[in-house]
Structures are given as C-alpha cells and as structure tokens.
Amino acid sequence: AGEDVTLTIDKRLQLIAKQSLGEKAGAVVAIVPSTGEVLAMVSSPQYDPTVFLTPMSSEIWRSIIDNPMHPLENRAIRGVYSPGSMFKVVTAALALTSGFITPDTRYFCPGSFSLGNTVFRCWRKEGHGTVDLISAMAQSCDVYFYNLGERLGNERMSSFSLELGLGRTTGIELVDESAGLIATDAWKRKRFKQPWQRGESVITAIGQGFTLTTPLQIAKVMSAIVNGGKVMTPKIIASTPEKPEMNLNISKPNLRILRECLRAVVDSERGTARVIKDPMFSIGGKTGTAQVARGYVSKLPDEADIPYKLRDHAWFFGFSPVDNPEILVVTIVEHGGHGASIAAPTVRDVIKGYYYLKGLSNEQIR
C-alpha cells in the first residue's frame, strides 16, 4: 500500500463547483490567494473513473476516447484558451507600473479605434464615451485598452506577462500541465517568418491574438495581483510546503488601484458583472469573452443562434472579500458566450458556498 495523501481540495466545495458548472464543457479552479492552496478543481465533462478498475470492453473505451467533448482532458491545467478581457488586468498593471497612465488617465471611446487602415471595434458599438481606468475596467471598454496596447507595444507586454507567470507551467504537483503561450516578437518571426505588427499589440492588450492561458495560470496570476503582490506556486497536496516564488514589481498603491478596478466590475452601476453583486459579501473580478471565430454576430445573450463550436468562450475570475481575499475562483465555459451571464454565476456560487461552509455572518464576510 502507498502512503496516505491529504489534498487541499475541500470535497464539499468541489461538489458545489461541479454542480454549478453542470454539464457545460469547461473548468473551475478555486484557490486561496495568499497560500496557493487549491480548494476545488473541476473539469467538465467528466467520466466514471470506476470503469478503469476492471477489464474494459472496447465499446466503453471507444465511447470515452471518441467523445467529441474530450472527457479525459483536464481542462483546469491542460485547456488553453485566449484569456479575453481578463488580460486587461495585466495590461493595466503594466501601464500603471511603467508610468504610462494614472488612474485618472482618460480616453474617448466612440466605439472603435483606428490604426492605419484598420479599424478595431469596441464590444459596445455605440462606444463608452470618455472613460478613466476604473470605469474602463468596470465596463470592459476595448478602446481604452487598444490605446494602451498601441502605446506599450508587445515587447513590454510579453516580458511583463512572462514575469507574472504566464507562458509557463505553474509548478503544481500534477503532470502534463500546459504552458500556454505568450507570443514574443522573436517567437512570431521564428514561427511565421514575419515581423510583429502594431495591430497585433492592439489586440494582445485585450487578450486576443496569439495569447493562450490555462484556468490554473489565471488563478495563479490574479491571486498575485489581489493578495498584495506575492506570487505563490499552486499546490494540491497539503504536505507540500508553501512556495513563494517572488514579489511582483508592482507598487502597493498600484495594486490597490487594480483591486478597486476589479471591485467596480461587480459593484458599479455599469459593471459588466453587476448581476452577481451580493449584499452578503464583497466580490471583485473580471469578465472575459474569448473570440473563437470572426464574422458571427449573435442577437442572443448565450449566442444560441450561432453554431456551438463557433461561439465564444466565457471567462470570469472573482475573489472575496475584496480588501483581504480568502478565495479566488476562475471559471471558463467553452463556447458559452458571454462571461458575465455564463461564467460569473458559477464563480458567485462557489464563493457563496465557501462562506456558507465557513458559517460566517454578514458582518464577518464584509
């Protein structure tokens, strides 16, 4: 017999995450931002693991490996997706740290951004008007971050992203973890024999283009942003020592600004995730919608009028309480549509379940 292994996973929270995600293809990761302990890790769809305990018929095996939803894939650590607008947190952190902006820096969003002969559209076709950093993050204004991407350039963005921990494995004690991708100028020249274009910096700033991330990577990076700047290696085995990797090169005042930006996503009247605002506890976070195919415009919130495989992926990460986070949850729903309506409710369910299991009062939670 092998030695006993005690996991950091909370079975009850795991069940809450699983039930909230349901049959949708995707993943949920819940983590303690200050320690890196993984409290829940769900990948869907799942399969019955007991079929491997006895000799398996070829029919059962084929039904698993031929399933177009790939149930054997652990999407939490191996699923790679464009981060969409969640990447705006990284762009904002870099712009603040580099002195390109202050919280009061404003840009006018008419609904589009022009660069040369190319027009980049904002998700809100009528535009957001004049926005500062907090309102731009709350409303997920693309034009604000297009401006930042064009000014920062990819060399700065890629270097900063790699420093945060994107583009490489997180170090969790699980095998076959995906590294994702942070595209550098040199990578593109080697891969495509082409130089980097300014327009590619524009879309990189909003989490589109070549950038690929896993749910666990997002949990690790955003934990460092909200916990005061400490990068922690995620862990799933309780006896593994906590491993602080480094402190982010982001000042405490700028980290506080970023937390206020993320609070506004949920709390402000025009916040993209205001639907999950809860009077019992504070939540901060960021929605993300990762484009899968161009040229498809839906008239429905869940994109049901678009073929399933061509619908956008829906992201959301949330943390609570905002001022001293105890839990951070990342959810992705493949081809789910919009992050606010599809992924954010699962994050809220897991956070609410966490507090319910702790038995905290309203005063303690806030």
Side-chain angles (χ1 to χ4, degrees), residues 263 278-283 319-327 351-366:
R263 186 200 299 270
D278 196 297
M280 292 295 289
F281 47 85
S282 61
I283 303 179
F319 60 99
S320 183
V322 173
D323 292 327
N324 188 25
E326 297 178 23
I327 184 172
I351 291 175
K352 183 176 288 189
Y354 168 81
Y355 285 130
Y356 174 79
L357 294 172
K358 285 191 65 173
L360 295 181
S361 68
N362 182 39
E363 289 74 22
Q364 290 172 303
I365 293 171
R366 296 298 293 188

Side-chain angles (χ1 to χ4, degrees), residues 293-310:
R294 296 182 180 180
Y296 290 87
V297 179
S298 176
K299 298 180 180 179
L300 301 175
D302 60 357
E303 298 189 349
D305 53 343
I306 296 177
Y308 174 77
K309 285 291 186 180
L310 300 179

Side-chain angles (χ1 to χ4, degrees), residues 52-204:
F52 291 95
L53 296 178
T54 57
M56 189 189 308
S57 69
S58 60
E59 289 78 11
I60 293 178
W61 176 237
R62 299 305 308 182
S63 70
I64 294 175
I65 64 171
D66 290 343
N67 187 326
M69 303 301 282
H70 307 293
L72 291 178
E73 185 84 341
N74 184 351
R75 287 166 162 82
I77 65 169
R78 285 194 51 78
V80 288
Y81 314 89
S82 295
S85 289
M86 292 191 304
F87 194 80
K88 292 172 181 174
V89 180
V90 175
T91 305
L94 173 59
L96 285 167
T97 300
S98 303
F100 277 72
I101 61 169
T102 70
D104 297 325
T105 300
R106 291 172 168 81
Y107 287 104
F108 177 71
C109 170
S112 63
F113 173 82
S114 297
L115 182 66
N117 296 324
T118 305
V119 176
F120 299 88
R121 303 291 179 184
C122 186
W123 71 267
R124 193 169 192 262
K125 62 182 181 179
E126 61 269 36
H128 292 92
T130 300
V131 287
D132 59 14
L133 177 59
I134 291 180
S135 59
M137 188 74 76
Q139 300 176 61
S140 202
C141 173
D142 292 328
V143 169
Y144 190 96
F145 291 92
Y146 288 152
N147 277 281
L148 296 188
E150 198 274 330
R151 289 182 62 195
L152 289 167
N154 190 59
E155 186 174 345
R156 287 189 184 91
M157 288 190 289
S158 60
S159 295
F160 188 70
S161 299
L162 291 166
E163 180 184 334
L164 291 180
L166 298 175
R168 55 186 167 90
T169 56
T170 66
I172 197 170
E173 317 94 324
L174 296 172
V175 298
D176 297 328
E177 186 184 1
S178 296
L181 174 64
I182 294 297
T184 63
D185 298 27
W187 173 87
K188 190 195 174 192
R189 194 175 292 276
K190 180 178 179 181
R191 176 70 175 79
F192 295 103
K193 305 296 188 292
Q194 296 175 351
W196 191 267
Q197 303 296 322
R198 290 169 62 200
E200 291 171 321
S201 296
V202 169
I203 61 172
T204 295

Side-chain angles (χ1 to χ4, degrees), residues 208 289-294 308-313 334-335:
Q208 300 292 164
T289 303
Q291 189 180 66
V292 173
R294 296 182 180 180
Y308 174 77
K309 285 291 186 180
L310 300 179
R311 299 175 196 169
D312 295 337
H313 297 320
E334 292 182 5
H335 310 293

Side-chain angles (χ1 to χ4, degrees), residues 25-39:
V28 180
V29 174
I31 196 169
V32 180
S34 60
T35 66
E37 295 169 281
V38 176
L39 301 178

